[in-house]
Amino acid sequence: MPASVPSRSLHTLWAAAALLLLAAPAAAERDGSYGYFRVIEGSATVTQAGSGTRAAAELNQPVLAGDRLWVPRNGRLEVVLSDGNLLRVDGDTELLFERLADSPDSDDRQTVLRLLDGNIQLEVRRGGGEPPRIDTPNATVYVQEEGSYRIGTGDEEWTEVVVREGYAEVVTERGSAVVRDDEQAWVDGVRDPRVDVQDAGARDALERWAGRLDDEYDSDGDGDRYAYLDPDLRYQGSSLHRYGSWVNYNHSWVWRPRVAVGWRPYHYGRWAYTPAGYFWVTSEPWGWVPYHYGTWDYVPAYGWLWYPGRTFAPAWVYWYWGSSHIGWCPVGYYTHWYNRGWGGGFRHGVYGWVGGDWGHFGDWNFVPYNHFGRRDLHRWARAGRDLRDTRPGGLGRGILTTDTRSLTPDRLGDPRGAQEILRRRDVTPRGAAGDLPDVTPFIERRNELPPEVRRRVIAERPGDAPEDSPLRPRIAIDRRDGGSSGASEGPRAIGGDSPRAVPARPDRPATDAGGEAWRVRPRDRGEGGASDAPRAVPARPARPPE
């Protein structure tokens, strides 16, 4: 028989400890992010919170509080939770993500999972908040510290709790019991259930599968393969070396994907709405970290390069919301350009009106409003340079923003209504009420920005440009005209092939603006290169190193 303790003892102690944590400095806390499906074997189904929509689970899909997951027989998946812990889910399992700690949607400090049926393994890898809680039909499991835990339940009458490392409290209507390293508890019955604690048995198939995932991570982590990632992101980004190379460009280590000529970021995948804004669900297996942390910039002779970061966003892009099309482009394409002459931050929010020559939007993705929510978005999205010949007259006037939280899917049927929502969303002081300036010179990447445009793009208030985010870039710049940062030392690669040259994309000549201006030095963008680059294809993994 297990050693029983009063049902509220350990939980009361833990609650007191949680209050101390709440009062402690938050310096060690990381930025909130969504959890996501990292590995899916077989299939799985998600009933989404709020809408009740039921659909197949996708790799890199965000997990929101209230989502309900069903994994059929012969399926398995891994979820990286928003609190940084790992959840492995077996076949024939159904669970509800009741609360998710560190999610952008709430202030919850504890993850609560309701296991309705089936078998899960939980790897608790970090502290900083309350450890997760797992509810089953006849028990509640309070994880007490970092470690490895497996919980199974069935027929609404039994629960099994296996602790490989760490310890947990199992609470029932009858009382509670402590389960420590290499022990397992069996809870039998719903009314007046009995709890037996004994030595843990052999690892089951789910635990062995989880062990293989851990071994794969340990293998991927050899050497310098993920040395340039933030420590909190190394598990999520551990496979980057299979799909590209780390390159030293202008004294910054950046990642270059191994993709076809003409490929561009934020193209293969779909947009999903979340309370934090539109979220990029990429179909590229390596895409979680590069699309939600750091940003991309296009560099002649290298192609698109990813600059690592540690601040999360549903997507680090600038948005164009017009009367017929929606467009997007990586934030770094502009912040890296202007940061050469000024080291401050760039605003988060509504900037103003943009439009005009398609040449200024050559590296943007565009899609008609009625195709924006499609899962096969790459079939409909086109680069600005490809639309130049099919849509004469240039791009119509639209609003440039980084904030899409107010543009819920039900509002996308009325483009002008979406623009009006963005106009009301703008909170920056300006001349006439409800009026937005034209910030097209920012999109044109002029050598000089008019003062009214500069006022719109510069971050002036705390929180407008989060630290360690693409809106406050901190990169070494190659000033080829004699600047202080020195000349580029050329590419060096780690964990893959040397960079393959791609055609340069010439920029439109800069246009000077009169009056007080924000001056930047032009970057050498190279010459030549066809404007009609081949359409991108999904990245293929490189052969793993021997």
Side-chain angles (χ1 to χ4, degrees):
M1 292 292 294
S4 295
V5 296
S7 61
R8 297 171 59 187
S9 59
L10 285 177
H11 186 52
T12 301
L13 289 173
W14 174 247
L19 290 175
L20 292 176
L21 286 173
L22 285 169
E29 295 180 357
R30 68 173 193 168
D31 297 310
S33 67
Y34 287 113
Y36 72 103
F37 298 121
R38 180 179 178 268
V39 177
I40 300 177
E41 289 191 1
S43 63
T45 302
V46 178
T47 302
Q48 296 177 340
S51 68
T53 303
R54 186 173 182 177
E58 301 172 81
L59 284 176
N60 300 310
Q61 178 180 341
V63 177
L64 277 65
D67 284 354
R68 193 182 187 108
L69 175 68
W70 162 246
V71 182
R73 183 173 297 180
N74 299 324
R76 286 196 182 107
L77 60 78
E78 179 188 56
V79 182
V80 178
L81 295 170
S82 55
D83 60 11
N85 298 317
L86 305 178
L87 173 68
R88 281 74 180 254
V89 184
D90 211 348
D92 278 337
T93 297
E94 184 174 13
L95 66 86
L96 175 68
F97 297 93
E98 198 164 278
R99 292 192 313 198
L100 294 171
D102 293 346
S103 171
D105 299 344
S106 72
D107 296 326
D108 289 332
R109 290 185 56 84
Q110 182 183 42
T111 292
V112 178
L113 307 175
R114 184 172 296 277
L115 181 60
L116 304 170
D117 192 31
N119 188 32
I120 64 173
Q121 188 222 32
L122 188 63
E123 292 282 338
V124 180
R125 295 191 165 191
R126 64 177 292 272
E130 295 186 38
R133 188 187 91 204
I134 302 92
D135 295 335
T136 72
N138 69 338
T140 298
V141 181
Y142 293 95
V143 172
Q144 299 294 328
E145 65 181 19
E146 296 180 15
S148 178
Y149 306 83
R150 182 175 65 79
I151 300 97
T153 190
D155 301 325
E156 297 186 355
E157 293 186 352
W158 62 266
T159 294
E160 181 185 29
V161 179
V162 179
V163 178
R164 300 298 178 184
E165 182 181 356
Y167 79 99
E169 181 187 14
V170 181
V171 178
T172 69
E173 290 183 357
R174 188 175 183 178
S176 68
V178 177
V179 189
R180 304 185 185 277
D181 288 353
D182 296 320
E183 290 184 341
Q184 65 183 35
W186 182 269
V187 183
D188 190 17
V190 178
R191 294 182 179 276
D192 197 26
R194 190 177 69 176
V195 182
D196 289 329
V197 177
Q198 53 189 293
D199 291 340
R203 297 179 185 272
D204 72 352
L206 176 64
E207 290 176 295
R208 294 193 296 272
W209 179 74
R212 290 194 290 273
L213 294 180
D214 294 336
D215 291 342
E216 181 181 286
Y217 168 67
D218 292 338
S219 175
D220 283 339
D222 291 343
D224 294 324
R225 289 175 179 169
Y226 59 32
Y228 309 108
L229 294 173
D230 185 83
D232 282 342
L233 300 175
R234 289 180 178 176
Y235 185 79
Q236 297 93 311
S238 59
S239 65
L240 287 178
H241 72 278
R242 302 184 210 164
Y243 300 95
S245 305
W246 286 101
V247 177
N248 187 293
Y249 176 73
N250 284 349
H251 313 289
S252 295
W253 284 102
V254 295
W255 183 73
R256 185 172 186 271
R258 192 174 296 111
V259 291
V261 174
W263 174 93
R264 57 191 184 273
Y266 296 102
H267 183 73
Y268 287 96
R270 69 180 179 93
W271 290 106
Y273 182 78
T274 71
Y278 278 97
F279 187 103
W280 182 246
V281 182
T282 178
S283 59
E284 293 158 315
W286 46 263
W288 176 263
V289 174
Y291 286 129
H292 302 294
Y293 300 86
T295 191
W296 297 82
D297 190 13
Y298 185 84
V299 178
Y302 297 89
W304 287 97
L305 301 177
W306 176 67
Y307 290 75
R310 68 174 305 274
T311 301
F312 171 84
W316 284 109
V317 299
Y318 282 114
W319 291 94
Y320 162 90
W321 293 82
S323 59
S324 62
H325 280 69
I326 301 170
W328 58 92
C329 184
V331 163
Y333 188 76
Y334 293 98
T335 60
H336 286 184
W337 174 270
Y338 287 107
N339 194 57
R340 296 189 317 281
W342 178 67
F346 299 82
R347 289 185 60 241
H348 170 68
V350 177
Y351 279 43
W353 296 102
V354 294
D357 194 316
W358 280 108
H360 303 319
F361 298 87
D363 287 308
W364 283 63
N365 287 286
F366 289 94
V367 68
Y369 264 83
N370 59 338
H371 294 308
F372 179 68
R374 299 187 62 126
R375 289 184 175 238
D376 56 348
L377 189 65
H378 68 277
R379 295 180 54 193
W380 309 98
R382 296 289 182 267
R385 64 175 48 83
D386 297 332
L387 293 171
R388 180 171 46 200
D389 297 330
T390 61
R391 297 185 64 86
L395 180 66
R397 196 169 77 149
I399 292 180
L400 182 71
T401 183
T402 62
D403 187 357
T404 58
R405 289 173 295 174
S406 58
L407 299 176
T408 52
D410 61 295
R411 294 173 170 173
L412 297 186
D414 179 11
R416 296 194 182 280
Q419 291 181 348
E420 185 59 30
I421 290 170
L422 288 173
R423 292 178 66 181
R424 293 198 304 264
R425 186 83 179 173
D426 177 50
V427 295
T428 301
R430 53 190 181 273
D435 187 29
L436 292 174
D438 189 303
V439 295
T440 302
F442 176 78
I443 293 298
E444 293 173 351
R445 302 203 294 188
R446 293 188 182 183
N447 291 339
E448 298 179 350
L449 288 182
E452 64 273 14
V453 175
R454 176 182 176 178
R455 286 193 295 268
R456 292 295 305 187
V457 302
I458 291 177
E460 297 179 345
R461 301 177 304 173
D464 275 352
E467 292 288 343
D468 300 316
S469 80
L471 292 174
R472 192 179 291 274
R474 301 184 184 282
I475 59 173
I477 302 302
D478 173 21
R479 292 186 174 88
R480 300 175 187 235
D481 54 355
S484 60
S485 63
S488 171
E489 60 187 55
R492 290 183 293 165
I494 285 183
D497 301 334
S498 297
R500 173 176 53 84
V502 299
R505 299 177 183 177
D507 279 355
R508 179 183 176 90
T511 303
D512 291 337
E516 180 186 0
W518 177 15
R519 304 186 63 88
V520 296
R521 295 179 178 179
R523 176 165 52 184
D524 179 4
R525 298 286 291 176
E527 298 292 334
S531 61
D532 296 323
R535 187 168 61 85
V537 298
R540 295 183 178 179
R543 182 176 181 178
E546 302 293 340

